[in-house]
Amino acid sequence: MKKVLLVDDEPHVINVLSLFLKKNGYEIHSANNGQQALDKLVENNPDFIITDIQMPKMTGQDLCETVNLKFPDPNRQFIVMTSRTDSELRAWANSHENIIFMEKPLSPRKLVAKLRELSSNINH
């Protein structure tokens, strides 16, 4: 079973996505901000980190950079979700092999489809 760390400061987003992902066979761990996510990362070693970009304490962008630097794992994939659509953020995501950009509002079905696609590329 693939592990997902879901990071968002909006509880309803975590609740909706968690329910959908659990129904589709994923083990879900969640955090309300980037700092809490780092603690959960060490405990759970997720295959995927799905994070909002705009959050208090640590942005999703900083979370991705920190995890890649301090906890490198060539198989770990990130999905960053945001309502921001600026080209700078897309360019940042596209400059990393393991970061996928998805716009909010996020369709749970599209998210599961993307996770399944990415799962086929994970070697563990």
Side-chain angles (χ1 to χ4, degrees), residues 42-105:
V42 173
E43 292 172 28
N44 301 299
N45 192 29
D47 300 293
F48 302 103
I49 297 176
I50 302 170
T51 182
D52 189 17
I53 288 290
Q54 297 173 280
M55 296 182 293
K57 297 188 182 180
M58 179 186 286
T59 68
Q61 200 169 355
D62 289 341
L63 172 64
C64 293
E65 296 285 356
T66 300
V67 170
N68 275 336
L69 184 68
K70 293 186 176 180
F71 308 98
D73 180 340
N75 293 313
R76 183 176 293 122
Q77 296 285 317
F78 297 87
I79 294 176
V80 294
M81 51 186 182
T82 184
S83 53
R84 286 177 46 201
T85 57
D86 56 82
S87 58
E88 186 179 302
L89 185 58
R90 282 183 189 271
W92 167 80
N94 290 335
S95 72
H96 294 79
E97 285 185 17
N98 65 339
I99 299 176
I100 306 296
F101 180 94
M102 294 184 82
E103 284 185 32
K104 276 183 166 181

Side-chain angles (χ1 to χ4, degrees), residues 1 6 14 18 21 24 29 34 36 38 40 43 45 49 56 64 67 85-86 92 97 102 112 115:
M1 180 180 293
L6 192 53
I14 287 180
S18 288
L21 291 171
N24 282 276
H29 303 275
Q36 191 181 67
L38 289 176
K40 299 272 182 149
E43 292 172 28
N45 192 29
I49 297 176
C64 293
V67 170
T85 57
D86 56 82
W92 167 80
E97 285 185 17
M102 294 184 82
V112 168
L115 288 173

